[in-house]
Amino acid sequence: MKHFIIIGTSLLLCLANAGCRMETAGPEITGPEPPPPAVKLLSRDSITTGTYRGIAINSTDDATFAILEDYRQKGVASYQGAVHNYFADVSDLKERLPFFDYLTLDEQTDTDSGVQISLVAGRVTEIALNNRTALKQWPQTSDSTEAIRIGDEGEVLYNKLVALSTQSAFAPKFQRITLLAKYSYAIYDPAKASLPWNITFQVEPDISEAATVHFKKKKVQYIIVNRFQRL
């Protein structure tokens, strides 16, 4: 899978290329954006009973997630929307870190010195700035026992985040905290649990189905399916 929602940080541009690593900046390539592919809407269906590709109306979000994750692993689904969660209080991270893949710290607007932290089950695996400078720790000027370092996990990582957020030199980077997950569909975050999930199936070489699964009280309420033909 090679497509994610882009929200303005170089980390997410990196995510658009599956398996990429954050590297030092290279020459910037500029030029006109390629035009989007031309498509024609063939049909639109609203499903309120029965099933759609194994997803049953009134089934739970856990059951739906298991089906979609199976499609992703088998390469059946060509696109799945990423989840992003914004926070202004570092304490909101305490129970969430193990369930997300990326943590970004920045001011109200994007800065080159914004921090991108890659996570695996709550453990720090990579650290970089928005300008694509790879780091071994952040902040670089802090004592190694206080700075966030590759390998930090669990309570150690969370306590360092809390401590850094109270220091005047680094507090601005905690104005906008973002957690991102590749495939979680927000089932771990109650604030996002009611949002629709999106997935696209390639039916034929030039025909695709874009399905939006809507939830109410963590159960599938209805599914909208749009069928498109690429021209």
Side-chain angles (χ1 to χ4, degrees):
M1 185 183 74
K2 295 186 178 181
H3 301 281
F4 293 82
I5 294 172
I6 298 175
I7 60 171
T9 69
S10 56
L11 170 65
L12 296 186
L13 294 175
C14 176
L15 291 182
N17 183 2
C20 73
R21 296 179 62 85
M22 291 177 279
E23 302 172 344
T24 55
E28 182 177 357
I29 300 174
T30 60
E33 291 290 330
V39 295
K40 178 175 69 174
L41 178 63
L42 298 178
S43 63
R44 178 182 174 88
D45 296 317
S46 178
I47 301 171
T48 57
T49 61
T51 64
Y52 169 76
R53 295 185 180 271
I55 303 170
I57 301 300
N58 290 322
S59 61
T60 66
D61 53 5
D62 286 334
T64 304
F65 173 75
I67 292 170
L68 296 183
E69 179 67 1
D70 183 60
Y71 285 149
R72 180 190 69 80
Q73 292 179 0
K74 292 178 178 177
V76 175
S78 58
Y79 172 92
Q80 294 176 328
V83 174
H84 48 81
N85 294 268
Y86 302 95
F87 305 95
D89 189 337
V90 71
S91 64
D92 290 329
L93 303 179
K94 187 171 185 179
E95 304 299 331
R96 292 176 166 92
L97 289 171
F99 302 116
F100 288 83
D101 302 295
Y102 307 97
L103 168 66
T104 69
L105 308 172
D106 212 339
E107 299 170 31
Q108 292 295 340
T109 56
D110 287 342
T111 66
D112 284 346
S113 57
V115 186
Q116 308 171 5
I117 301 172
S118 298
L119 303 169
V120 174
R123 177 180 180 274
V124 177
T125 58
E126 290 183 274
I127 306 171
L129 301 181
N130 282 350
N131 63 12
R132 301 181 69 187
T133 300
L135 306 177
K136 292 183 178 180
Q137 70 171 46
W138 181 84
Q140 293 172 276
T141 55
S142 293
D143 183 275
S144 61
T145 61
E146 298 178 351
I148 296 169
R149 297 176 58 84
I150 294 174
D152 285 349
E153 58 184 322
E155 189 173 356
V156 171
L157 172 59
Y158 175 72
N159 288 339
K160 286 183 177 181
L161 288 166
V162 172
L164 290 168
S165 71
T166 64
Q167 298 182 32
S168 59
F170 311 118
K173 294 306 176 195
F174 290 84
Q175 291 175 358
R176 182 159 53 93
I177 305 165
T178 310
L179 281 171
L180 299 119
K182 293 179 183 178
Y183 311 119
S184 75
Y185 293 99
I187 61 175
Y188 299 111
D189 198 313
K192 299 287 182 177
S194 62
L195 294 182
W197 300 350
N198 301 290
I199 185 167
T200 298
F201 298 90
Q202 200 67 36
V203 181
E204 297 177 17
D206 294 326
I207 296 178
S208 60
E209 286 182 355
T212 303
V213 183
H214 294 260
F215 292 88
K216 185 176 182 179
K217 296 182 178 178
K218 296 189 177 183
K219 289 189 176 182
V220 177
Q221 185 180 25
Y222 63 94
I223 304 171
I224 301 295
V225 181
N226 291 309
R227 180 173 282 227
F228 295 96
Q229 181 177 25
R230 184 165 180 163
L231 302 179

